[in-house]
Amino acid sequence: MTADDKTRHDFKNQLSIVLGFAEMLLAGAPADDPRRGDFEEIHKAATTALDLLARVFPVHATPRRPG
């Protein structure tokens, strides 16, 4: 695993936590909850960060060694 792979992996793990909590907050917030817009913004930012992460640290298939 390269340093870039580890960085991508670690950052993706942290973003997954943020996304998970944002999804839980959204699932528990009624449509008229004044905080809902904030929860949606957190979810959108984390999703955008994941997309950016994929562009900055693209996953490259590594050839397997025979045997």
Side-chain angles (χ1 to χ4, degrees), residues 38-62:
D38 295 331
F39 302 156
E40 290 169 348
E41 210 44 48
I42 292 167
H43 190 273
K44 179 181 171 186
T47 302
T48 300
L50 277 175
D51 292 341
L52 179 60
L53 181 65
R55 285 187 278 151
V56 172
F57 295 107
V59 177
H60 299 292
T62 56

